[in-house]
Each structure stands twice: as structure tokens, then as C-alpha cells.
Amino acid sequence: MVLSPKGRFLYVANANSDSVSVLDTAAEKVVETISCRPQGRLPFGSGSNALALSPEGATLYVANGTNNCLAVVKLSRQASEAKEATGEKSQVVGLIPTAWYPGAIKVSTDGKRLLVANIKGYGSLAPPKEREEKKDPTGKVLTPTKKNSHDHLGVISIIEVPESAQLEKYTAEVNRNNRLAYSLAGLEKPRAAIQPVPVPQRHGEPSIFKHIVYIIKENRTYDQVLGDMKEGNGDPRLILFGEEVTPNHHALAREFTLFDNFYCSGVLSADGHTWVNEAYVSDYLERSFGGFTRSYPDDGSDPLAYAPSGFLWDNALSRKKSIRNYGEYIKNKYPDKATWSDFYKEYLAGTSTLSDRIRCESNVAALKPFTHPQYPWFPLLMPDVYRARIFINELKEFEKKGSFPNLTYITLPCDHTNGTNVGSPTPKAMVADNDLALGQIIEALTHSKFWPEMCIFVVEDDPQNGFDHVDAHRTVALVISPYTKRKYVDHTNYNQTGMVKTIELCLGLPPMNQLDLSATPMRNCFQAKVNLAPYVCKKARIKLNEMNPLLKSLTGKARYWAEKSRELDLEEGDAADEDTLNRILWHSVRGYDTPYPEKYAGKKGED
């Protein structure tokens, strides 16, 4: 908020509606609401979150966080004390580019300069701060990577207030950066008499697909899983869970399409689940990266974190599409004293006594009627193969009824792992479990009667500050359908907003906000020719019940890292320190004398 020089007007930035409210302080009423989007036809998504007023009070500068720019607003006579104010309505007259996510503005006293605080600035380049010093068993200090996903390097932009000609150039630059022309073209109405294709050109045009299955996993980079695939741009030196551990991930990428240039839009589960569900992260969340002092809404439990444009399931429901949810944005209660081993024994026996006692409920009201009541999320007590069995059993019921939801969410969280905690499987075993469950689900879906009109999207919600030789946002993604190109490598630069956009196009849904509107859909991996050959699940090569050894049986570095693992909070997603957990995973898989890849840890696109 900012007051006019004499206090007559109060200007309030509304980040969740891309606008500024102008209040007459004497009359105590709103006299004008100013839209701050770069173009009036655009949907929600500018994130107008901070303000500054020129000294004479005729010009308002608005930080459009999501657009990475300032909107320059010439105030109307009814919204300003300044004699220079003209017109009956305030309007945006130009845009000024900034760094990443501007969140505060000041104007110099002479009105000639703008000082803009950018929350994320240049990205994850800041030195570690307020972090406990760590030492290895030999006493060597383990300096955390200075590129940790929590340590964004905020910057101050000092900008000369532009004359009209320069402002025009700045505006064109901002619009190029945000793909304005492409976005406006994406708002074109669907054409009549268009034949169905896998991914339509326009929102609302018909698709071959009637059923979308959206599988969300937890926290891996591309190189950690697929870095050993010679077909793609991987670095086998950084492999943690290669083909021996993840035969189904490799087979699916090899038999269908391998994506080696796909990126998470976020960096951790708090924003990762928002990106995959909303294709947007609100000002409330973007301002939390200094420490998450309010909430860590990876489970959808904080309504303040919701974007006003809604979730993908809201988009589907509003267009009369049917949905089903297995584990996303829920709270769950496990049976008292139940352990991972108890659930695994039930899985082997084919019984469901424990799962029948689980209680799950969505944290989001709209999802509650469509959420499976016994399909849990964290903590990771239930193996993913048990989750897969729950889903497959219900799939059989859908087949009997002859109908299947248009949009199905499935979470498979066990590739997060429980580190080397006693009572849990080893990291390799937990990822192997996750891999087998994925293979089982894909096999069941591709053998079902719904397969000819189905497309399956698989993605990690975030990369958990993992290591990757290209960029630490790069992650594992899969697209499986009868129209997906077989034995193909797609090098196109995609991200999670593009995956959401592709789902929208397939289901005939409109874009929710500016980011899925401007995103690149995953169109290059599809073909017109149909191939209905189903997938055959590959057997696990790792024992799923390979358990972490007891602490008393360990010595040296193995004991040191086991003790560190025991100190971590692994009951909730991402509650554990990322750097420590990644070191634990590395050494448990690659050996306790193998140096940790400091060079690539948390790499965000720079050497």
C-alpha cells in the first residue's frame, strides 16, 4: 500500500487479481480499480504485488511479480491529487523489465530513478545462510553448495525513469520476454468442423483423448534416474537410480518418447505441487522462499497459497469433466503402530486389512468427493506397489462399469525415499518399488478398454535440489499414449506449465492463467499414426524389502550418515534438509568413499 502525498488516496496492490484499488480515505470507498496486466485480453497472472508513487503523485509504478516487470500507470483525475493527472480512467502506459520477481519499489526523491527489489533476482546463486556447519566423519567441513534451491540471490535494480521513447522499447522487451503475441494467439476461439487430433492447436478444439492420467512422483533430477540412457543428454557419472533400479522408467522412455530437456518450474514440494496443479505460484508463496515462516503447503493445506485462477481439477469440473484423485493434496491417518514391513507383508499376501483402516481426506473442498479414502501420501509407510494395487483394483471396477474419469490424479511418492532410516527400505529399494508400481499401473492402463482414448503424463513435482549436469530443475517426464512417438527422443524445451497446457488442450479446457497460456505444449512427441501395443511391466531387479541396516551394526562413515538420516524429519514431504538427504542418498548408493558431486549439486544453469 502507498498513500498519496497529502493522504487523500490510498493505493492498494492486489496480487491475486492483477490490479490496484484506489481508496478515497475521507469517503472510505474505492473510487477506481486499475487493471495492471500487460494487455487487457490476458487472463490472471501478473501478480501485482507492490507500489511506488512519483513525487508529484501523477504516476504509479506497480511491481508485476510474475511478469518480471513494472507497470507504469498514469493516474486519472479521480484517483490522484496531482494537477498533472488527466483522463477519466487510470491506465497502464508502459512496462519496464526487471530481474526475477520484483516485490518492492522505491522512487528517488527527485523522481528520476526507480529502485526495485527483486525477490529471486538472478536465481539460486546466494551463499548459504544461517545453516548449521556440517562435517564428515574425518572432521572435514562440508560446505553446502552455494546454489541451494532455498538460497535465491535477490537483487536491487536501479532504473532511470524512462522517457516515452525508451518506455516504448522497454514495453516491447517485456512483451517479448513474456511471449505476448503467442499468448494472444492462444486465446483464439476454437474452429468449427476440426477433426480430432492428439493435441489440438487451440484450446477447446477436439482431441482423440478422452481420458488423461496424471501421475505425480517426488523429487528426482533427470541425471539421477536417466543419466545412463545413451539416447539422451545424460551424464552417467551422476546416476543414482539407473536402469538396474528403474527398469520401467528406462523401458518407458525407450519404448515411447525420451524427454531430455524437460524442467520443473519450481524447486521444492511447496511450490512444485502448485506448479503441477495450477501452472502458477502465488505472491504469497513466492515471498516465502526466505524460510517458509507461515506454511509449507505441499499438501494443499493452506488456502492462502491457492491461486485465484484455480486448480486443474477446477478447470475440468467447470467444463463437466469427471475426475478421480489418488493421494494428491490430502491429509491421511495411518493405523497406529503400522510399519512399512506390515504393509509390505500385506501386499505380498494380497490382503488389505491395514489399508481398510486408513482414512484419507482432501485438504481442498472441491476434491473431497473425488478422493480415494484409503490412498495415502506421506509418511511413506505404504509401498508404492501397494498403492498401485489399490488403483488397479478400482480400475477393474471402472472397466466393469464401462466408464473411466476424464482426469485422474495418481501420486507415487516413494522415490522421495526415507534416507537410511532404520525400519525403512534402502533408498535403492524404495526407488525400485516406485519404479515397479509405475510399471504395474502403466501395464494395467494400456491393457484396459480405455487405452485407445487415453494419454498418461508422468512427472516429478520437483527436483529436490538434486544434481544434474545441465540444470538442477531438469527432471524425469513421460508421455504414454497410443499416439506417442515410439523410440523417439524429444529435445524440445518443456516444463511443467507446458505439461498442464497439454492436458488442457487434450481435455478441451481453457488456459487458467498467463503461464499455461504462454507455455509450450508437448506436441512434438505425438504422431497421427496409432499404435495400440500395450506396455509390459518389467520385473524389479532390486529386492523391494532390502532394509536399511541397524545403527549398531554400522561403523565409520556408514554410521555417521545413518545417524544424520535419523536426525531428519521424513514424516512430511521435504521437511528434511535437502543437502543432507542428497548426500545420504549419494553415499548409500555410490559408496561412502565416493566423493559427493559438489560441482553439480544444485546447479541452476551456470558453471
Side-chain angles (χ1 to χ4, degrees):
M1 298 183 288
V2 64
L3 276 170
S4 59
K6 297 179 181 178
R8 180 184 170 189
F9 296 105
L10 177 67
Y11 306 94
V12 182
N14 307 308
N16 275 359
S17 56
D18 302 339
S19 67
V20 173
S21 296
V22 184
L23 284 76
D24 185 316
T25 58
E28 296 186 348
K29 68 177 183 179
V30 175
V31 294
E32 189 175 5
T33 300
I34 307 165
S35 175
C36 298
R37 294 171 190 165
Q39 213 274 353
R41 292 171 56 200
L42 290 173
F44 166 76
S46 292
S48 307
N49 68 79
L51 305 167
L53 198 61
S54 61
E56 80 286 353
T59 302
L60 189 66
Y61 300 97
V62 184
N64 279 354
T66 313
N67 295 144
N68 299 324
C69 74
L70 302 184
V72 181
V73 178
K74 290 299 182 184
L75 294 170
S76 66
R77 288 192 297 267
Q78 67 173 357
S80 172
E81 298 170 355
K83 295 179 181 179
E84 297 87 345
T86 59
E88 298 301 319
K89 185 177 181 181
S90 302
Q91 59 181 330
V92 175
V93 294
L95 306 168
I96 301 174
T98 63
W100 189 357
Y101 214 91
I105 319 167
K106 288 288 184 182
V107 183
S108 61
T109 52
D110 60 8
K112 295 181 179 180
R113 287 186 177 182
L114 302 169
L115 291 85
V116 184
N118 303 282
I119 293 174
K120 290 188 172 179
Y122 289 156
S124 305
L125 300 173
K129 57 183 182 299
E130 299 177 6
R131 191 169 297 155
E132 179 185 356
E133 184 181 86
K134 303 168 190 170
K135 297 181 180 179
D136 72 7
T138 66
K140 176 185 175 183
V141 174
L142 300 171
T143 304
T145 172
K146 69 175 184 177
K147 305 158 194 171
N148 186 279
S149 59
H150 289 273
D151 296 326
H152 290 87
L153 181 60
V155 298
I156 301 294
S157 300
I158 303 174
I159 305 168
E160 299 289 335
V161 172
E163 299 292 339
S164 58
Q166 182 61 51
L167 181 59
E168 186 175 346
K169 292 179 181 179
Y170 278 158
T171 302
E173 181 180 343
V174 170
N175 288 335
R176 281 195 303 272
N177 290 344
N178 291 325
R179 307 177 78 180
L180 178 63
Y182 174 86
S183 296
L184 294 177
L187 294 174
E188 293 176 351
K189 294 181 179 180
R191 296 162 294 180
I194 296 294
Q195 292 300 309
V197 295
V199 183
Q201 289 294 322
R202 298 184 185 181
H203 289 269
E205 292 182 346
S207 169
I208 289 166
F209 301 124
K210 300 295 186 293
H211 311 289
I212 299 298
V213 179
Y214 197 12
I215 300 176
I216 301 170
K217 300 177 347 85
E218 288 290 322
N219 310 0
R220 291 287 147 248
T221 66
Y222 178 93
D223 274 341
Q224 287 179 328
V225 179
L226 300 177
D228 57 348
M229 288 193 68
K230 296 179 180 179
E231 299 91 332
N233 179 19
D235 189 337
R237 296 173 299 174
L238 301 179
I239 273 288
L240 277 185
F241 308 111
E243 191 156 6
E244 184 68 14
V245 181
T246 55
N248 284 288
H249 283 75
H250 285 71
L252 288 164
R254 194 170 285 125
E255 292 181 23
F256 291 88
T257 292
L258 171 65
F259 300 93
D260 65 354
N261 201 16
F262 184 99
Y263 300 84
C264 289
S265 302
V267 294
L268 38 73
S269 287
D271 68 339
H273 282 270
T274 306
W275 282 115
V276 297
N277 291 323
E278 296 184 313
Y280 188 84
V281 171
S282 67
D283 171 71
Y284 173 82
L285 261 179
E286 292 288 17
R287 289 177 180 274
S288 296
F289 276 85
F292 289 94
T293 54
R294 294 192 177 192
S295 70
Y296 195 89
D298 55 341
D299 59 357
S301 58
D302 184 356
L304 286 174
Y306 303 167
S309 46
F311 298 98
L312 183 57
W313 53 77
D314 295 320
N315 199 353
L317 289 170
S318 67
R319 270 76 189 178
K320 310 300 181 185
K321 304 295 182 181
S322 55
I323 66 172
R324 185 64 166 156
N325 176 40
Y326 301 88
E328 184 67 358
Y329 272 17
I330 66 164
K331 53 187 174 185
N332 48 250
K333 181 174 176 54
Y334 281 95
D336 291 342
K337 299 182 180 180
T339 67
W340 185 94
S341 295
D342 294 333
F343 277 102
Y344 187 64
K345 288 175 184 176
E346 278 212 351
Y347 165 72
L348 294 177
T351 57
S352 58
T353 303
L354 287 172
S355 63
D356 288 343
R357 293 161 52 200
I358 292 174
R359 296 293 176 264
C360 303
E361 183 180 19
S362 174
N363 285 311
V364 180
L367 266 185
K368 286 183 179 181
F370 310 102
T371 296
H372 194 289
Q374 279 89 41
Y375 192 104
W377 196 51
F378 277 79
L380 302 179
L381 296 179
M382 178 183 282
D384 276 344
V385 288
Y386 200 129
R387 290 181 174 84
R389 192 181 71 186
I390 292 173
F391 168 74
I392 293 168
N393 285 341
E394 192 158 272
L395 174 62
K396 293 174 182 176
E397 294 302 313
F398 282 121
E399 290 210 82
K400 290 179 184 178
K401 296 175 183 176
S403 64
F404 188 68
N406 300 120
L407 176 61
T408 300
Y409 270 83
I410 302 175
T411 59
L412 290 177
C414 284
D415 59 336
H416 179 283
T417 84
N418 278 331
T420 52
N421 279 7
V422 174
S424 292
T426 64
K428 284 201 302 184
M430 292 197 77
V431 176
D433 160 50
N434 176 266
D435 176 80
L436 181 58
L438 178 66
Q440 291 171 342
I441 289 172
I442 302 300
E443 181 180 73
L445 288 169
T446 59
H447 282 82
S448 74
K449 65 173 65 175
F450 312 112
W451 170 235
E453 298 179 316
M454 176 182 291
C455 187
I456 306 161
F457 294 87
V458 183
V459 72
E460 305 283 335
D461 82 291
D462 74 83
Q464 202 181 41
N465 195 40
F467 31 83
D468 188 280
H469 84 282
V470 174
D471 186 289
H473 293 88
R474 195 169 66 134
T475 195
V476 177
L478 299 167
V479 178
I480 301 142
S481 81
Y483 296 88
T484 301
K485 292 176 182 177
R486 302 288 181 126
K487 295 180 171 57
Y488 178 70
V489 180
D490 191 343
H491 301 297
T492 310
N493 186 313
Y494 298 122
N495 64 29
Q496 288 166 331
T497 63
M499 182 173 279
V500 171
K501 182 183 182 75
T502 311
I503 292 172
E504 290 168 339
L505 288 166
C506 291
L507 290 178
L509 309 177
M512 294 180 287
N513 55 65
Q514 292 176 32
L515 296 185
D516 54 338
L517 173 61
S518 66
T520 300
M522 301 176 73
R523 190 174 277 122
N524 290 347
C525 65
F526 290 99
Q527 61 186 12
K529 185 179 179 180
V530 64
N531 184 342
L532 290 171
Y535 178 71
V536 178
C537 180
K538 305 300 182 281
K539 294 181 180 179
R541 303 178 188 177
I542 303 291
K543 289 184 178 180
L544 305 190
N545 63 341
E546 177 187 85
M547 305 300 285
N548 289 316
L550 297 175
L551 199 61
K552 64 182 180 182
S553 68
L554 301 174
T555 59
K557 296 177 181 178
R559 184 183 179 94
Y560 170 85
W561 287 112
E563 289 175 340
K564 287 294 181 184
S565 186
R566 189 172 62 171
E567 294 171 5
L568 298 178
D569 179 2
L570 292 162
E571 292 292 301
E572 300 287 342
D574 281 9
D577 178 75
E578 292 175 327
D579 183 71
T580 301
L581 180 57
N582 277 325
R583 291 175 187 273
I584 289 167
L585 298 181
W586 173 264
H587 291 303
S588 73
V589 175
R590 299 296 295 266
Y592 291 96
D593 292 319
T594 304
Y596 185 70
E598 299 277 358
K599 177 180 177 181
Y600 298 106
K603 180 175 178 181
K604 298 293 190 292
E606 74 289 332
D607 292 328

